[in-house]
Amino acid sequence: MKIALLGYGKMGKIIEKIAIDRKHEIVLKIDRENQHELTTENLQKADVAIEFSTPGTALSNMELCIMAGTPVVVGTTGWHGNIEAVKELCEQNSGSLIHATNFSVGVNIFFHVNKVLAKLMNNYPYYDVQVEEIHHTQKLDSPSGTAITIAEGIIENIDTKKSWANVLTTGSDEASNDNVEDSSEVLIESFRIENVPGTHTVIYDSEVDSIEFKHTAHNRNGFALGAVLAAEWIQNKKGFYSVQDMFDFSIK
Ligand SMILES: NC(=O)c1ccc[n+]([C@@H]2O[C@H](COP(=O)([O-])OP(=O)(O)OC[C@H]3O[C@@H](n4cnc5c(N)ncnc54)[C@H](OP(=O)(O)O)[C@@H]3O)[C@@H](O)[C@H]2O)c1
Protein backbone atom coordinates (compact mmCIF):
# COMPACT_ATOMS: atom_id res chain seq x y z
CA MET A 1 0.00 0.00 0.00
CA LYS A 2 1.30 3.49 -0.86
CA ILE A 3 0.86 5.92 2.05
CA ALA A 4 0.93 9.75 2.24
CA LEU A 5 1.83 11.08 5.70
CA LEU A 6 0.17 14.44 6.44
CA GLY A 7 2.04 15.66 9.53
CA TYR A 8 5.54 14.36 10.19
CA GLY A 9 5.95 15.08 13.90
CA LYS A 10 6.17 12.63 16.81
CA MET A 11 3.31 10.49 15.51
CA GLY A 12 4.12 10.77 11.79
CA LYS A 13 7.65 9.41 12.38
CA ILE A 14 6.45 6.37 14.39
CA ILE A 15 3.69 5.67 11.84
CA GLU A 16 6.34 5.71 9.09
CA LYS A 17 8.41 3.06 10.90
CA ILE A 18 5.45 0.78 11.63
CA ALA A 19 4.10 1.15 8.07
CA ILE A 20 7.49 0.18 6.58
CA ASP A 21 7.72 -2.80 8.99
CA ARG A 22 4.31 -3.88 7.63
CA LYS A 23 5.71 -3.67 4.04
CA HIS A 24 3.98 -0.43 3.03
CA GLU A 25 5.65 2.38 1.13
CA ILE A 26 5.66 6.07 2.13
CA VAL A 27 5.20 8.13 -1.06
CA LEU A 28 4.60 11.59 0.45
CA LYS A 29 5.55 13.28 3.75
CA ILE A 30 4.03 16.69 4.49
CA ASP A 31 5.17 19.00 7.26
CA ARG A 32 4.83 22.73 7.81
CA GLU A 33 7.86 23.49 5.59
CA ASN A 34 6.75 21.63 2.45
CA GLN A 35 2.99 22.27 2.42
CA HIS A 36 3.25 23.31 -1.25
CA GLU A 37 3.77 19.61 -2.06
CA LEU A 38 0.31 18.79 -0.70
CA THR A 39 -1.44 18.80 -4.09
CA THR A 40 -4.28 16.74 -5.53
CA GLU A 41 -1.84 15.17 -7.97
CA ASN A 42 0.56 14.08 -5.20
CA LEU A 43 -2.28 12.79 -3.00
CA GLN A 44 -3.60 10.70 -5.88
CA LYS A 45 -0.26 8.84 -6.01
CA ALA A 46 -1.11 7.36 -2.57
CA ASP A 47 -3.61 4.57 -1.81
CA VAL A 48 -4.33 6.19 1.55
CA ALA A 49 -3.32 9.28 3.56
CA ILE A 50 -2.66 9.30 7.30
CA GLU A 51 -3.33 12.73 8.91
CA PHE A 52 -1.59 13.47 12.26
CA SER A 53 -0.87 17.21 12.05
CA THR A 54 -2.31 20.03 14.17
CA PRO A 55 -5.85 21.04 15.18
CA GLY A 56 -5.51 24.12 12.93
CA THR A 57 -4.44 22.25 9.78
CA ALA A 58 -6.38 18.97 9.96
CA LEU A 59 -9.64 20.29 8.46
CA SER A 60 -8.12 21.62 5.23
CA ASN A 61 -5.95 18.50 4.89
CA MET A 62 -9.02 16.25 5.22
CA GLU A 63 -10.92 18.34 2.65
CA LEU A 64 -8.04 18.03 0.17
CA CYS A 65 -7.96 14.23 0.58
CA ILE A 66 -11.73 13.92 0.13
CA MET A 67 -11.67 16.08 -3.01
CA ALA A 68 -8.68 14.11 -4.38
CA GLY A 69 -10.53 10.81 -3.77
CA THR A 70 -7.74 9.56 -1.48
CA PRO A 71 -9.01 7.63 1.58
CA VAL A 72 -7.81 9.32 4.78
CA VAL A 73 -7.14 8.15 8.34
CA VAL A 74 -7.48 11.13 10.71
CA GLY A 75 -5.77 10.96 14.09
CA THR A 76 -5.43 14.70 14.77
CA THR A 77 -7.60 15.91 17.63
CA GLY A 78 -9.19 19.30 18.30
CA TRP A 79 -11.33 19.56 15.11
CA HIS A 80 -14.33 17.44 16.14
CA GLY A 81 -16.58 20.52 16.59
CA ASN A 82 -16.74 20.45 12.75
CA ILE A 83 -17.46 16.74 12.45
CA GLU A 84 -20.92 17.11 10.86
CA ALA A 85 -19.58 19.37 8.09
CA VAL A 86 -16.72 16.94 7.33
CA LYS A 87 -19.13 13.99 7.29
CA GLU A 88 -21.39 15.82 4.82
CA LEU A 89 -18.46 16.76 2.56
CA CYS A 90 -17.23 13.14 2.64
CA GLU A 91 -20.64 11.66 1.84
CA GLN A 92 -21.46 14.20 -0.90
CA ASN A 93 -18.18 13.47 -2.66
CA SER A 94 -18.11 9.66 -2.16
CA GLY A 95 -15.00 10.04 -0.02
CA SER A 96 -13.46 7.61 2.48
CA LEU A 97 -12.50 8.77 5.95
CA ILE A 98 -11.90 7.07 9.29
CA HIS A 99 -11.28 9.20 12.38
CA ALA A 100 -10.45 8.53 16.02
CA THR A 101 -9.45 10.60 18.99
CA ASN A 102 -7.35 7.56 19.88
CA PHE A 103 -6.40 4.70 17.54
CA SER A 104 -4.94 2.41 20.21
CA VAL A 105 -6.68 -0.97 20.50
CA GLY A 106 -6.37 -0.83 24.32
CA VAL A 107 -8.02 2.60 24.50
CA ASN A 108 -10.88 1.45 22.29
CA ILE A 109 -11.46 -1.47 24.66
CA PHE A 110 -11.34 1.13 27.47
CA PHE A 111 -13.96 3.30 25.68
CA HIS A 112 -16.28 0.30 25.37
CA VAL A 113 -15.94 -0.82 29.00
CA ASN A 114 -16.30 2.83 30.14
CA LYS A 115 -19.80 2.90 28.60
CA VAL A 116 -20.77 -0.45 30.14
CA LEU A 117 -19.50 0.74 33.56
CA ALA A 118 -21.36 4.06 33.24
CA LYS A 119 -24.60 2.25 32.45
CA LEU A 120 -24.14 0.15 35.60
CA MET A 121 -23.21 3.18 37.76
CA ASN A 122 -26.34 5.00 36.58
CA ASN A 123 -28.16 2.79 39.13
CA TYR A 124 -25.98 4.13 41.98
CA PRO A 125 -26.41 7.93 41.97
CA TYR A 126 -24.53 8.42 45.25
CA TYR A 127 -21.30 7.94 43.26
CA ASP A 128 -20.15 11.08 41.42
CA VAL A 129 -17.88 10.66 38.41
CA GLN A 130 -14.94 12.59 37.03
CA VAL A 131 -12.25 12.04 34.39
CA GLU A 132 -8.55 12.75 34.80
CA GLU A 133 -6.09 12.96 31.88
CA ILE A 134 -2.31 13.47 31.88
CA HIS A 135 -0.29 14.30 28.74
CA HIS A 136 3.12 15.69 27.77
CA THR A 137 3.57 19.47 27.90
CA GLN A 138 3.71 19.96 24.09
CA LYS A 139 0.11 18.83 23.64
CA LEU A 140 -1.80 21.70 21.96
CA ASP A 141 -5.39 20.89 22.93
CA SER A 142 -7.05 20.36 26.28
CA PRO A 143 -8.90 18.37 27.35
CA SER A 144 -7.53 15.54 25.22
CA GLY A 145 -9.81 14.20 22.49
CA THR A 146 -9.61 10.85 24.30
CA ALA A 147 -10.90 12.41 27.54
CA ILE A 148 -13.78 14.03 25.62
CA THR A 149 -14.73 10.64 24.12
CA ILE A 150 -14.65 9.12 27.64
CA ALA A 151 -16.83 11.95 29.02
CA GLU A 152 -19.29 11.53 26.12
CA GLY A 153 -19.54 7.79 26.90
CA ILE A 154 -20.44 8.72 30.49
CA ILE A 155 -22.96 11.42 29.46
CA GLU A 156 -24.71 8.93 27.12
CA ASN A 157 -25.24 6.50 29.98
CA ILE A 158 -25.65 8.49 33.22
CA ASP A 159 -29.00 10.31 33.33
CA THR A 160 -27.85 13.14 35.62
CA LYS A 161 -24.85 14.09 33.43
CA LYS A 162 -25.58 16.47 30.55
CA SER A 163 -22.22 18.02 29.54
CA TRP A 164 -18.53 18.19 30.50
CA ALA A 165 -16.32 20.95 31.90
CA ASN A 166 -12.54 21.17 31.87
CA VAL A 167 -9.89 22.34 34.32
CA LEU A 168 -6.30 22.49 33.00
CA THR A 169 -3.37 22.30 35.40
CA THR A 170 0.17 22.82 34.12
CA GLY A 171 3.53 22.71 35.90
CA SER A 172 3.32 22.87 39.64
CA ASP A 173 -0.13 24.54 39.84
CA GLU A 174 -2.50 22.89 42.24
CA ALA A 175 -5.56 21.46 40.51
CA SER A 176 -8.67 23.43 41.32
CA ASN A 177 -12.22 22.55 40.51
CA ASP A 178 -13.70 25.55 42.29
CA ASN A 179 -15.23 26.83 39.06
CA VAL A 180 -16.98 23.53 38.25
CA GLU A 181 -19.85 23.19 40.67
CA ASP A 182 -22.62 22.10 38.35
CA SER A 183 -23.48 18.49 39.24
CA SER A 184 -24.84 17.91 35.72
CA GLU A 185 -21.29 18.35 34.34
CA VAL A 186 -18.62 15.66 34.11
CA LEU A 187 -15.43 17.34 35.31
CA ILE A 188 -12.37 16.57 33.17
CA GLU A 189 -9.14 17.47 34.97
CA SER A 190 -6.22 17.87 32.54
CA PHE A 191 -2.61 17.73 33.73
CA ARG A 192 0.45 18.49 31.57
CA ILE A 193 3.64 16.74 32.69
CA GLU A 194 6.89 16.18 30.72
CA ASN A 195 7.12 12.97 28.63
CA VAL A 196 3.74 11.42 29.48
CA PRO A 197 2.31 9.78 26.29
CA GLY A 198 -1.25 9.64 27.71
CA THR A 199 -2.96 8.46 30.92
CA HIS A 200 -6.74 8.52 31.44
CA THR A 201 -8.61 7.63 34.62
CA VAL A 202 -12.35 7.51 35.29
CA ILE A 203 -13.08 7.96 39.00
CA TYR A 204 -16.38 7.15 40.70
CA ASP A 205 -16.33 8.57 44.19
CA SER A 206 -18.78 8.22 47.09
CA GLU A 207 -18.58 9.01 50.81
CA VAL A 208 -17.54 5.43 51.53
CA ASP A 209 -15.23 4.42 48.68
CA SER A 210 -13.89 5.13 45.18
CA ILE A 211 -13.69 3.04 42.04
CA GLU A 212 -10.94 3.91 39.54
CA PHE A 213 -10.72 2.67 35.96
CA LYS A 214 -7.43 3.59 34.27
CA HIS A 215 -5.60 3.32 30.93
CA THR A 216 -1.87 4.13 30.72
CA ALA A 217 -0.09 4.36 27.35
CA HIS A 218 3.55 3.27 27.80
CA ASN A 219 4.59 4.90 24.51
CA ARG A 220 3.05 6.14 21.22
CA ASN A 221 3.44 2.85 19.32
CA GLY A 222 -0.12 1.67 20.09
CA PHE A 223 -1.66 4.79 18.51
CA ALA A 224 0.58 4.45 15.45
CA LEU A 225 -0.12 0.75 14.91
CA GLY A 226 -3.87 1.42 15.21
CA ALA A 227 -3.59 4.16 12.56
CA VAL A 228 -1.77 1.83 10.13
CA LEU A 229 -4.38 -0.92 10.78
CA ALA A 230 -7.08 1.68 10.03
CA ALA A 231 -5.31 2.58 6.75
CA GLU A 232 -5.31 -1.10 5.75
CA TRP A 233 -9.00 -1.37 6.75
CA ILE A 234 -10.29 1.73 4.87
CA GLN A 235 -8.27 1.33 1.69
CA ASN A 236 -11.10 -0.17 -0.43
CA LYS A 237 -14.10 1.27 1.43
CA LYS A 238 -16.26 4.34 0.78
CA GLY A 239 -17.91 6.33 3.56
CA PHE A 240 -17.37 8.16 6.82
CA TYR A 241 -16.28 5.93 9.70
CA SER A 242 -15.12 6.13 13.27
CA VAL A 243 -12.55 3.69 14.67
CA GLN A 244 -15.30 1.85 16.56
CA ASP A 245 -16.56 0.57 13.17
CA MET A 246 -13.26 -1.34 12.90
CA PHE A 247 -13.63 -3.27 16.15
CA ASP A 248 -16.15 -5.90 17.22
CA PHE A 249 -16.43 -5.93 21.02
CA SER A 250 -19.60 -8.02 21.18
CA ILE A 251 -19.26 -10.94 23.61
CA LYS A 252 -20.49 -14.15 21.98
N1 LIG B 1 -5.76 9.61 17.41
C1 LIG B 1 -4.68 9.16 18.05
O1 LIG B 1 -4.53 7.95 18.30
C2 LIG B 1 -3.62 10.14 18.46
C3 LIG B 1 -2.49 9.74 19.18
C4 LIG B 1 -1.49 10.68 19.44
C5 LIG B 1 -1.63 11.99 19.01
N2 LIG B 1 -2.77 12.35 18.35
C6 LIG B 1 -2.96 13.70 17.80
O2 LIG B 1 -2.24 13.76 16.58
C7 LIG B 1 -1.80 15.11 16.34
C8 LIG B 1 -0.30 15.12 16.08
O3 LIG B 1 0.38 14.66 17.24
P1 LIG B 1 1.98 14.66 17.32
O4 LIG B 1 2.28 14.22 18.70
O5 LIG B 1 2.57 13.94 16.16
O6 LIG B 1 2.24 16.24 17.19
P2 LIG B 1 3.57 16.97 16.66
O7 LIG B 1 4.77 16.21 17.06
O8 LIG B 1 3.44 18.40 17.08
O9 LIG B 1 3.43 16.85 15.08
C9 LIG B 1 2.53 17.62 14.30
C10 LIG B 1 3.23 17.87 13.00
O10 LIG B 1 2.35 18.47 12.05
C11 LIG B 1 3.13 19.40 11.31
N3 LIG B 1 2.32 20.36 10.56
C12 LIG B 1 2.10 21.67 10.80
N4 LIG B 1 1.31 22.19 9.84
C13 LIG B 1 1.05 21.20 8.95
C14 LIG B 1 0.29 21.12 7.75
N5 LIG B 1 -0.36 22.18 7.23
N6 LIG B 1 0.22 19.92 7.10
C15 LIG B 1 0.84 18.85 7.60
N7 LIG B 1 1.58 18.88 8.75
C16 LIG B 1 1.68 20.04 9.41
C17 LIG B 1 3.99 20.04 12.38
O11 LIG B 1 5.09 20.70 11.77
P3 LIG B 1 5.89 21.84 12.62
O12 LIG B 1 6.59 21.10 13.71
O13 LIG B 1 6.81 22.41 11.62
O14 LIG B 1 4.87 22.80 13.13
C18 LIG B 1 4.42 18.82 13.18
O15 LIG B 1 5.55 18.17 12.64
C19 LIG B 1 -2.26 15.90 17.58
O16 LIG B 1 -3.50 16.51 17.30
C20 LIG B 1 -2.44 14.84 18.65
O17 LIG B 1 -3.38 15.21 19.64
C21 LIG B 1 -3.75 11.46 18.07
Side-chain angles (χ1 to χ4, degrees):
M1 196 166 68
K2 292 189 164 91
I3 297 179
L5 291 178
L6 312 188
Y8 192 57
K10 292 182 282 300
M11 285 302 301
K13 292 186 177 76
I14 303 171
I15 290 168
E16 176 180 42
K17 186 177 174 308
I18 290 178
I20 290 169
D21 286 349
R22 290 178 70 84
K23 312 284 178 237
H24 301 306
E25 186 190 348
I26 307 298
V27 293
L28 185 66
K29 285 185 227 174
I30 300 293
D31 223 333
R32 196 180 297 272
E33 299 89 65
N34 68 337
Q35 279 178 59
H36 59 278
E37 290 179 36
L38 185 54
T39 60
T40 301
E41 195 191 344
N42 281 341
L43 277 174
Q44 286 173 342
K45 291 179 189 156
D47 299 309
V48 57
I50 303 184
E51 206 315 297
F52 277 74
S53 66
T54 67
T57 52
L59 270 183
S60 58
N61 287 352
M62 280 183 253
E63 282 168 18
L64 271 174
C65 291
I66 291 170
M67 300 319 285
T70 305
V72 58
V73 174
V74 185
T76 306
T77 51
W79 61 273
H80 284 80
N82 293 302
I83 194 164
E84 286 307 321
V86 177
K87 184 171 186 232
E88 204 178 310
L89 185 79
C90 182
E91 289 173 351
Q92 279 174 355
N93 293 283
S94 302
S96 315
L97 185 150
I98 180 165
H99 66 94
T101 55
N102 197 311
F103 273 105
S104 120
V105 175
V107 163
N108 283 284
I109 294 170
F110 188 91
F111 286 157
H112 179 75
V113 178
N114 170 55
K115 288 186 186 177
V116 174
L117 179 60
K119 208 173 181 59
L120 173 73
M121 295 308 286
N122 191 36
N123 298 324
Y124 303 96
Y126 43 87
Y127 283 92
D128 199 10
V129 60
Q130 79 173 61
V131 178
E132 215 178 81
E133 58 110 342
I134 312 173
H135 279 88
H136 53 90
T137 47
Q138 296 91 47
K139 185 161 178 59
L140 295 180
D141 49 334
S142 89
S144 67
T146 303
I148 295 174
T149 305
I150 293 168
E152 287 171 348
I154 293 168
I155 293 161
E156 265 170 46
N157 290 288
I158 296 195
D159 297 338
T160 54
K161 297 295 179 188
K162 307 292 180 206
S163 59
W164 55 261
N166 182 230
V167 176
L168 170 66
T169 305
T170 52
S172 55
D173 299 354
E174 278 292 306
S176 149
N177 56 11
D178 292 350
N179 52 346
V180 186
E181 286 174 355
D182 185 341
S183 62
S184 70
E185 289 177 339
V186 177
L187 171 66
I188 305 175
E189 278 196 82
S190 301
F191 296 90
R192 295 292 171 260
I193 299 172
E194 279 308 310
N195 299 324
V196 177
T199 301
H200 293 87
T201 312
V202 178
I203 304 158
Y204 287 90
D205 195 36
S206 78
E207 290 226 330
V208 292
D209 59 7
S210 321
I211 301 167
E212 292 196 8
F213 179 48
K214 180 173 183 179
H215 179 273
T216 307
H218 297 315
N219 51 50
R220 293 183 173 82
N221 295 8
F223 313 130
L225 174 63
V228 176
L229 293 175
E232 293 168 2
W233 184 85
I234 194 137
Q235 156 174 221
N236 295 312
K237 291 188 176 63
K238 291 273 176 219
F240 185 85
Y241 301 95
S242 103
V243 71
Q244 274 116 42
D245 297 312
M246 235 173 79
F247 296 113
D248 178 7
F249 293 132
S250 56
I251 298 172
K252 280 142 193 148

